[in-house]
Amino acid sequence: MVTKQQNWIARDQAVNWHPYTQMKTTRAIPIIRGEGAYLYDADGKQYIDAVSSWWVTLHGHAHPYIAESVSKQLYELEQVIFAGFTHRPAIELSERLLSLLPRLQSKAFYSDNGSTAVEVALKMALQYAYNSGRPKSKILAFRNGYHGDTFGAMSVSARGKWTAPFQDLLFETIFIDVPNRENIEELKNIVDQHKGELACFLYEPLVQGAGGMLMHEAMYLSALMAHCRASNVLLIQDEVFVGFGRTGTLFAANQLQEEPDIMCFSKGLTGGTMPLGLTTCTLDIYDAFYHDEKSRALFHGHSFTANPLACTAALASLDLLLLDSTQRSIQKIAHMHQQFVAKLNGHPQVRHARSCGTILALEWEIGQETSYFSNLQHSLYIFFLERGILLRPLGNTLYLVPPYCLSTEDLEHIYDAIMEALSVFPSIE
Ligand SMILES: *Cc1c(COP(=O)(O)O)cnc(C)c1O
């Protein structure tokens, strides 16, 4: 007998091509329903979504408040061209977000995902220099960074097996290590060497997500930002992943001493319910495009720029995010993570457990360099799925990015499963 689940799997396999997936060796699990922190497959099996469905879900799946808001908007206005037209959800969302962002952020430019938010930011920085009559074409970025999969975003991200086929078409980027007490002066020197040609410095603040949940200290990042600012190098802060509470504060920006010129958001922006990208900037940037001469404008746009449904989902998600109860949940998760990290760091199988707000990561001690293609990755993925937990390791780095509605009991259950995995997979697979 073919179960409903097997039937969906076969039909999917026949027609769909999945992201970041070797189709020959992977079968996608059909999910028919989501509720809170849980996903349910076609056979009724429950999974705790401990990675917020690729880091997007903030308040849980199918949240009724967001669903009702979007549903109402769907009957009012589902889409309108955003060139020459505007609408209430986009106006209200920009007003509310800008009031929460660092003081200098003054204008909002919408797109529809994180990669496009980054592309827009790069174009803003490069054209800012061009419009000002001092063209600069180099970009500074962190090693191990990730900013998306479109060509510009790939060019400024870490290179690896996944970018190798396109290597010749990626533009040159100057890569530096994340700052720490030892290297900060050396990094400032690199900025000085290139400052005449550097249009901008693009960085993931505090946590480098796809690079392996690598964390660095706010103090040294602030120092590097200050040095770039003094050298007229624009600061592009990619908060696509860390924004909206992930690091324990509303934005990573809240933990930094310096303000960026441009900021990028997506993922949690709509609470993870709809695709939406956002690039914000200072008045100084905006003014370099504001002119009687039409060719000074930012010639970039997407069909679904500022889609009213997506903006409505973002407004509803913001309502939920700012509730005291949500803020308390974020602090609770952050606190539990800290205690678990302390416990993990005494474990012989664990290399460098760490947390930043609601993000937790640990590396398996496997006696060799971390590799995205490590076999342990797949074994751990299956181990947790069998226990009803969705975790998707990056190489031998296991991480948690839970939705804020995750219960204390479920978080403890996940910690227990991690301790069990540490005893089951003691060495190299
Ligand atoms: C995921 C991510 C992106 C790209 O976002 P997409 O919506 O997947 O295109 C950009 N920057 C960071 C920091 C990310 O984590």
Side-chain angles (χ1 to χ4, degrees), residues 53-96:
S53 281
W54 249 353
W55 323 344
V56 301
T57 311
L58 294 190
H59 313 293
H61 292 281
H63 197 288
Y65 178 71
I66 300 179
E68 276 161 32
S69 304
V70 173
S71 167
K72 263 173 64 188
Q73 182 62 38
L74 195 45
Y75 286 94
E76 239 166 63
L77 178 68
E78 86 302 350
Q79 164 69 1
V80 63
I81 175 174
F82 206 62
F85 292 82
T86 192
H87 52 79
R88 179 190 55 80
I91 296 167
E92 282 184 9
L93 181 59
S94 300
E95 286 173 352
R96 288 187 66 190

Side-chain angles (χ1 to χ4, degrees), residues 55 113-116 118 146-149 204 210 238 240-241 266-267:
W55 323 344
N113 62 73
S115 303
T116 54
V118 168
Y146 178 76
H147 300 284
D149 283 349
E204 291 168 272
D238 179 352
V240 167
F241 167 48
S266 186
K267 295 202 164 114

Side-chain angles (χ1 to χ4, degrees), residues 56 79 82 87 89-90 93-94 97 108-118 239-240 244 264-279 302 304-317:
V56 301
Q79 164 69 1
F82 206 62
H87 52 79
L93 181 59
S94 300
L97 280 174
F109 190 101
Y110 290 95
S111 60
D112 39 33
N113 62 73
S115 303
T116 54
V118 168
E239 295 224 16
V240 167
F244 302 99
C264 305
F265 305 93
S266 186
K267 295 202 164 114
L269 173 57
T270 62
T273 56
M274 311 261 319
L276 186 64
L278 173 63
T279 310
H302 297 279
F304 286 101
T305 297
N307 173 258
L309 300 174
C311 290
T312 299
L315 282 165
S317 174

Side-chain angles (χ1 to χ4, degrees), residues 17-68:
W17 190 347
H18 292 267
Y20 277 100
T21 301
Q22 175 44 262
M23 295 303 295
K24 187 166 183 185
T25 51
T26 316
R27 299 287 172 274
I29 300 170
I31 295 298
I32 53 164
R33 193 168 73 80
E35 186 182 342
Y38 307 118
L39 295 166
Y40 297 90
D41 73 15
D43 286 343
K45 185 174 162 77
Q46 183 191 68
Y47 302 89
I48 302 173
D49 187 353
V51 296
S52 295
S53 281
W54 249 353
W55 323 344
V56 301
T57 311
L58 294 190
H59 313 293
H61 292 281
H63 197 288
Y65 178 71
I66 300 179
E68 276 161 32

Side-chain angles (χ1 to χ4, degrees), residues 277-396:
L278 173 63
T279 310
T280 63
C281 70
T282 62
L283 211 50
D284 180 42
I285 306 270
Y286 179 80
D287 281 345
F289 294 75
Y290 192 82
H291 203 269
D292 292 326
E293 182 60 56
K294 194 174 178 223
S295 65
R296 287 252 199 149
L298 181 60
F299 290 105
H300 188 101
H302 297 279
S303 314
F304 286 101
T305 297
N307 173 258
L309 300 174
C311 290
T312 299
L315 282 165
S317 174
L318 209 50
D319 286 342
L320 296 173
L321 183 63
L322 297 176
L323 291 175
D324 280 346
S325 56
T326 308
Q327 291 303 313
R328 277 198 302 275
S329 300
I330 290 172
Q331 295 317 318
K332 180 197 76 180
I333 293 170
H335 182 68
M336 287 178 69
H337 276 357
Q338 276 175 358
Q339 293 188 318
F340 187 53
V341 162
K343 180 174 167 185
L344 284 171
N345 273 327
H347 195 290
Q349 270 325 113
V350 175
R351 183 165 69 191
H352 192 205
R354 53 201 181 265
S355 73
C356 177
T358 66
I359 305 163
L360 177 144
L362 63 131
E363 279 159 53
W364 239 255
E365 188 57 74
I366 57 168
Q368 60 186 49
E369 274 304 294
T370 303
S371 155
Y372 186 87
F373 296 93
S374 139
N375 292 328
L376 181 65
Q377 180 178 22
H378 187 67
S379 308
L380 286 173
Y381 178 64
I382 299 297
F383 175 91
F384 287 106
L385 277 186
E386 281 168 354
R387 282 155 187 76
I389 301 167
L390 168 51
L391 282 176
R392 208 170 179 278
L394 293 157
N396 65 338

